[in-house]
């Protein structure tokens, strides 16, 4: 059976009910069913639903998880000994392989070459065949293909020398074992006789080969997918297996799910409109969705003068939605690449809106943070016997002493990049130690280490109540009441390196995935220039031509909304504003943080450090009182700007970026009192009161 299921049509419900019906009616034995999908989250959701439906014995796993279990079980019999351990840091091994080949790779090239090696392995391409295979596939190769081939070969040698395997090897080795050992293949086939594959459009050639070996000559297979949601071709995924299913299985039943239970007719109308302009084989099999929900608001289109203005406008609309009753956790801001997140993080923080990053590296998983944790744990265990703690009387001093051996300094390094990122991570640990001791003055270094362990483990807890920031790729499979699709300008959507017709069409599908994440509220926006005062040379994405108001006549289908939405324009002041320039050296500023400070990061400043510390202490207290993260009060950059400017009036304070009208009303009096040195803490006030009482 092949189930073609459009976005929001309830495919997970359909296939879990199908499996449960087979189990409850006695047609299927639970232990004989293997359901496979692509993420642990999706597999976990499927297992939970099956348990609720009385089919708890069914195995629901990712391809890699299922293959790894089989490999661990059969390896001693097929090869002998223990299965090689999984490599923890693939990128590190690739870096060493490049060094062995005397090839220098910067941080971006290292990530991209690692991606090319992963693609080669899932498409079953050996190192010597990589140049020809990559050229044939139209890969956007980050380095000379011959160099990548050499790094790939050296990477495989290094893994062999160290007795480790990577994620892709799990599938390759399982395929190898099942192909070479027919007795083991038959054992697996006796165990699993019925297969269900979710997100079948994302299957790679290697995963398809594994599925065929699991299946053997049987036909008890149900696949579910949507060619219009194929957005991972760069990893080797292809919709060909889905589209060719009837060719390989002529007697298969094909079922189409087109009733959309997720999104309003207005959202569905736009999604259908996007695909109506699509080209290529996947487009020939597109599904016309039919919304089953009541009508909602029209999609909102926003045009802004520059990216900071777009971020500020988005943050204002998010704030309005939250004020109207939409939970922050039901709102998402989706962008094309992760690098776009920074300006939105800043804008949300300035608007006092909590947020969470999806798909970003977790703080406690960063290598420098893990290393720092080990060092601090060792120092806490050694206590007074650790020579590097000599002269360090309190916990923050001890932390500074330990981290000083790994690159932390009181002053940040100039510029940006990996060195600055590492320093920022270590500096965050120093600040955490200071805040921890401020709250617990009698705490020891061992207490701080225990606190770090608790914080690290808490990362696996449910997500916080905050707006989700995510790339479009990371948003696949998720949904929210309100979705903001930002940065929809040519060069970003489609991305500038999408050159071929196939690549352009995948970008269109990526936007389609973004649109169909929204249940009710949908906003689409773009900026005419990157920086304030820049030339407004950008154009909205071509994918909205004929769909957004004013681009062309919108032709509604029968029973579809008429497309009456208008384009919101950003504040006119943005268009009139000149370039932001450093108040010290006069250089044009482009970085959002530098624009906030009105100076280059490495230019000298007149910072009132005592005031900055008072502001930080006050912010920590306010955050605790209000039950909000500290950045929702003011970001570190805003506090720095205040401590440099030392405003004396409300007008001067209001001119500082990050101090809007709402924050001026809530915190303005306190901040001005702090700047003037007249602010009284609760302890000061009680002390004054007691002294006054004694005098009386």
């Amino acid at each position: 059976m092949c189930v073609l299921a459009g976005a929001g049509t309830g495919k997970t419900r359909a296939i879990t009910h199908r499996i449960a019906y087979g189990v409850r009616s006695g047609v299927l034995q639970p232990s004989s069913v293997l359901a496979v999908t692509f993420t642990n989250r999706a597999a976990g959701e499927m297992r939970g639903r099956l348990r609720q439906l009385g089919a708890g014995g069914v195995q629901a796993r990712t391809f890699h998880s299922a293959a790894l279990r089989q490999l661990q079980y059969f390896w001693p019999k097929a090869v002998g000994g223990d299965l090689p351990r999984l490599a923890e840091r693939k990128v590190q091994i690739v870096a060493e392989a490049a060094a062995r080949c005397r090839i220098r790779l910067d941080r971006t090239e290292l990530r991209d070459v690692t991606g090319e090696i992963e693609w080669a392995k899932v498409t079953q391409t050996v190192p010597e065949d990589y140049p020809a295979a990559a050229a044939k596939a139209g890969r956007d190769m980050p380095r000379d293909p011959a160099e990548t081939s050499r790094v790939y070969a050296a990477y495989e040698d290094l893994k062999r020398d160290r007795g480790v395997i990577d994620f892709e090897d799990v599938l390759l080795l399982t395929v190898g074992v099942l192909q070479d050992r027919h007795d083991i293949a038959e054992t697996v086939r006796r165990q699993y006789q019925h297969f269900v594959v979710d997100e079948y459009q994302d299957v790679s050639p290697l995963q398809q080969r594994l599925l065929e070996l699991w299946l053997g000559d049987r036909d008890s297979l149900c696949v579910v997918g949507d060619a219009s949601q194929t957005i991972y071709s760069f990893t080797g995924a292809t919709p060909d297996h889905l589209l060719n299913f009837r060719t390989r299985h002529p007697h298969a039943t094909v079922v189409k799910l087109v009733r959309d239970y997720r999104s309003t007719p207005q959202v569905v109308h736009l999604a259908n409109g996007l695909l109506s302009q699509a080209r290529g084989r996947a487009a020939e099999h597109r599904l016309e969705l039919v919304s089953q929900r009541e009508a909602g608001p029209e999609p909102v289109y926003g045009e802004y003068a520059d990216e900071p203005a777009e971020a500020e406008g988005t943050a204002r609309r998010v704030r309005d939605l939250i004020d109207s009753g939409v939970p922050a956790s039901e709102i998402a801001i989706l962008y094309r690449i992760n690098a776009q997140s920074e300006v939105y993080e800043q804008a949300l923080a300035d608007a006092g809106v909590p947020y969470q990053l999806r798909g970003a590296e977790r703080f406690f998983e960063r290598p420098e943070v893990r290393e720092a944790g080990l060092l601090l744990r060792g120092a806490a265990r050694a206590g007074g016997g650790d020579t590097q703690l000599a002269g360090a009387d309190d916990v923050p001093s001890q932390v500074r002493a330990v981290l000083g051996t790994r690159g932390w300094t009181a002053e940040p390094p100039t510029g940006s990049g990996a060195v600055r990122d590492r320093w920022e991570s270590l500096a965050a640990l120093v600040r955490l130690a200071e805040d921890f001791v401020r709250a617990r003055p009698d705490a020891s270094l061992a207490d701080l280490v225990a606190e770090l362990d608790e914080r690290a483990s808490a990362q696996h807890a449910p997500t916080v109540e905050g707006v989700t920031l995510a790339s479009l790729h990371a948003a696949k499979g998720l949904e929210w009441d309100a979705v903001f699709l930002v940065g929809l300008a040519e060069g970003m959507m489609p991305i500038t390196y999408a050159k071929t017709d196939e690549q352009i069409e995948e970008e269109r599908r990526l936007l389609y995935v973004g649109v169909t994440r929204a249940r009710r509220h949908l906003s689409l926006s773009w900026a005419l220039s990157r920086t304030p005062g820049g030339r407004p040379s950008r154009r909205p994405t071509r994918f909205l031509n004929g769909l957004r108001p004013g681009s062309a006549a919108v032709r509604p289908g029968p029973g579809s909304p008429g497309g009456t939405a208008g384009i919101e324009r950003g504040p006119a002041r943005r268009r009139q504003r000149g370039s932001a320039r450093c108040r010290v050296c006069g250089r044009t500023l482009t970085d959002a943080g530098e624009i906030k400070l009105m100076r280059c990061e490495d230019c000298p400043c007149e910072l009132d450090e005592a005031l900055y510390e008072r502001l930080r202490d006050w912010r920590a207290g306010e955050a605790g009182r209000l039950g909000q993260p500290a950045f929702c009060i003011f970001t570190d950059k805003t506090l720095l700007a205040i401590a440099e400017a030392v405003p004396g009036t409300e007008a001067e304070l209001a001119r500082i970026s990050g101090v809007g009208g709402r924050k001026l009303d809530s915190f303005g009096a306190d901040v001005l009192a702090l700047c003037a040195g007249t602010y009284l803490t609760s302890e000061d006030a009680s002390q004054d009161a007691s002294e006054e009482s004694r005098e009386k």
Side-chain angles (χ1 to χ4, degrees), residues 253-313:
T253 300
V254 176
V255 176
K256 294 183 179 180
L257 303 183
V258 298
R259 295 182 180 180
D260 187 312
Y261 299 94
R262 174 190 299 159
S263 305
T264 63
Q266 287 75 10
V267 173
V268 167
H269 175 61
L270 178 57
N272 287 336
L274 277 173
L275 290 189
S276 70
Q277 303 175 358
R279 301 290 180 267
R281 191 167 178 228
E284 294 170 5
H285 296 265
R286 71 184 182 88
L287 300 169
E288 185 84 13
L289 299 177
V290 181
S291 176
Q292 303 299 295
R293 291 195 56 178
E294 61 185 22
E298 291 284 350
V300 175
Y301 298 85
E303 181 177 282
Y304 296 88
D306 51 63
E307 289 182 4
E310 183 180 7
E312 290 172 12

Side-chain angles (χ1 to χ4, degrees), residues 21 51 101 201 261 281 337 377 407 415 420 462 472 486 511 575 663:
Y21 178 79
R51 277 196 302 271
C101 298
Q201 77 280 351
Y261 299 94
R281 191 167 178 228
I337 59 175
R377 190 171 292 108
R420 180 61 183 248
L472 287 163
V486 299
L511 181 56
R575 293 193 180 89
K663 292 193 177 183

Side-chain angles (χ1 to χ4, degrees), residues 99-172:
R100 178 178 285 191
C101 298
R102 289 185 167 80
I103 295 173
R104 291 179 59 86
L105 299 176
D106 64 27
R107 199 176 181 182
T108 302
E109 289 173 326
L110 180 59
R111 182 196 63 208
D112 292 344
V113 168
T114 301
E116 288 302 293
I117 292 173
E118 292 172 348
W119 172 83
K121 297 184 75 165
V122 299
T123 56
Q124 302 175 79
T125 302
V126 294
E128 55 267 29
D129 293 341
Y130 168 78
K136 183 178 179 181
R139 301 287 293 177
D140 184 25
M141 292 172 274
R143 294 287 296 230
D144 178 87
E147 288 184 339
T148 302
S149 176
R150 285 167 52 206
V151 174
Y152 179 11
Y155 169 75
E156 293 297 315
D157 290 341
L158 275 172
K159 285 199 290 108
R160 253 190 312 274
D161 294 344
R162 295 174 183 179
V164 299
I165 59 176
D166 62 23
F167 216 44
E168 290 70 42
D169 289 331
V170 171
L171 299 182
L172 282 164

Side-chain angles (χ1 to χ4, degrees), residues 454-469:
E454 286 184 21
R455 286 174 177 254
S457 63
Q459 289 179 160
H460 304 290
T463 53
V464 298
E465 178 65 26
V467 173
T468 299
L469 291 173

Side-chain angles (χ1 to χ4, degrees), residues 336 489-496 498 503-504 507 541-543:
R336 178 61 180 83
E490 287 287 316
M492 193 58 75
M493 177 57 67
I495 198 77
T496 185
Q503 291 168 338
I504 295 293
E507 292 289 298
T541 174
R542 70 191 75 172
F543 300 144

Side-chain angles (χ1 to χ4, degrees), residues 357 571 679:
L357 281 168
Y679 180 78

Side-chain angles (χ1 to χ4, degrees), residues 58-79:
V58 173
Q59 292 291 309
R61 297 187 174 277
T62 65
F63 270 101
H64 284 88
S65 172
L68 182 60
R69 285 194 66 180
Q70 292 174 19
L71 202 57
Q72 288 169 331
Y73 183 80
F74 291 111
W75 186 266
K77 179 179 179 180
V79 181

